[in-house]
Amino acid sequence: MSEDAPRLALLTPYGIDDAQAEKTIDALRAACAAGDVAAVILRLAPSDERYLVSLVKRLAPPVQEHGAAVVVCIPGFQGDPVGVAARGGADGVHVDKADETELRDLRGRLRDGRILGCGGFLESKHAAMAAGETQADYLMFGGLYPDGVAPDRELVRERAAWWAEIFETPCIAVAVEAVEVEALAKTGAEFVGLEGSLWFDAPDDVAAAMEALTAAGAAR
């Protein structure tokens, strides 16, 4: 794989809970074995912290045994995501549409090299720049909204290209459909994210995405 090619980040479907744990574990193992996966963002259903810690302990090892990072995202959660990540053995926390104060607080409490990622910046370049100043480890552009609505693909591509050209903080550009992968890989983004529809039930699609990333890296 070309050194210039972006790496993959996998996003699970929203609302992963104990009922889907075994299926998720199988899907994670197959997908991480099929390509150069740098990270997986686990989108968990909100619950109590003890339950979530136990769930992360089950889901993280199949990812980490392939050398990929596990980042916990819990939309609507009123508890402490840092505690869930740390006690569950995850590598970090992802939040969407967090303000600068929240991001700085999370950054200060994520110790031992744990990752802070944030998304939800399609509407405002100013918010993206403010987030970058909090020492977040990456910004994410795109990805399905919690209600299942897909963002405008051209806006995702434009935002990722703008960020990658100007800023040093890495970014993830998320593909909702397979046809978006190659164009996003050419933006200069360090990572291309794959929505669950592109890998959760079809690990062979990860290999196809890898081919597109390699071709795009060669063209950079």
Side-chain angles (χ1 to χ4, degrees), residues 128-204:
M129 290 187 286
E133 292 176 356
T134 66
Q135 298 183 332
D137 293 290
Y138 69 81
L139 267 63
M140 188 173 81
F141 297 98
L144 290 176
Y145 299 112
D147 62 4
V149 174
D152 181 83
R153 68 172 65 175
E154 286 304 312
L155 183 56
V156 173
R157 186 197 61 76
E158 184 274 326
R159 284 287 192 268
W162 161 73
W163 184 266
E165 181 179 2
I166 299 173
F167 301 98
E168 294 185 2
T169 301
C171 73
I172 302 174
V174 182
V176 175
E177 298 179 13
V179 294
E180 301 171 32
V181 172
E182 185 174 358
L184 292 178
K186 292 178 179 178
T187 62
E190 289 82 0
F191 306 94
V192 170
L194 300 183
E195 272 291 350
S197 59
L198 296 180
W199 66 271
F200 197 76
D201 294 309
D204 288 347

Side-chain angles (χ1 to χ4, degrees), residues 35-101:
D36 179 29
V37 176
V40 173
I41 299 176
L42 294 176
R43 291 163 163 164
L44 307 180
S47 185
D48 65 85
E49 290 190 24
R50 183 175 180 180
Y51 169 88
L52 289 168
V53 168
S54 176
L55 182 60
V56 173
K57 284 182 177 180
R58 295 175 65 191
L59 298 176
V63 177
Q64 293 166 333
E65 69 188 16
H66 284 91
V70 174
V71 184
V72 173
C73 175
I74 320 173
F77 182 49
Q78 300 301 311
D80 179 19
V82 173
V84 172
R87 292 163 54 206
D91 300 287
V93 169
H94 176 95
V95 291
D96 284 319
K97 294 190 175 181
D99 61 29
E100 190 174 351
T101 299

Side-chain angles (χ1 to χ4, degrees), residues 1-8 36 185 189-192 210 212-218 220:
M1 185 172 179
S2 168
E3 292 183 0
D4 294 325
R7 300 184 68 193
L8 287 176
D36 179 29
E190 289 82 0
F191 306 94
V192 170
M210 286 295 302
L213 297 190
T214 300
R220 282 189 182 182

Side-chain angles (χ1 to χ4, degrees), residues 3-19:
E3 292 183 0
D4 294 325
R7 300 184 68 193
L8 287 176
L10 306 180
L11 288 73
T12 70
Y14 283 99
I16 298 296
D17 59 16
D18 193 63

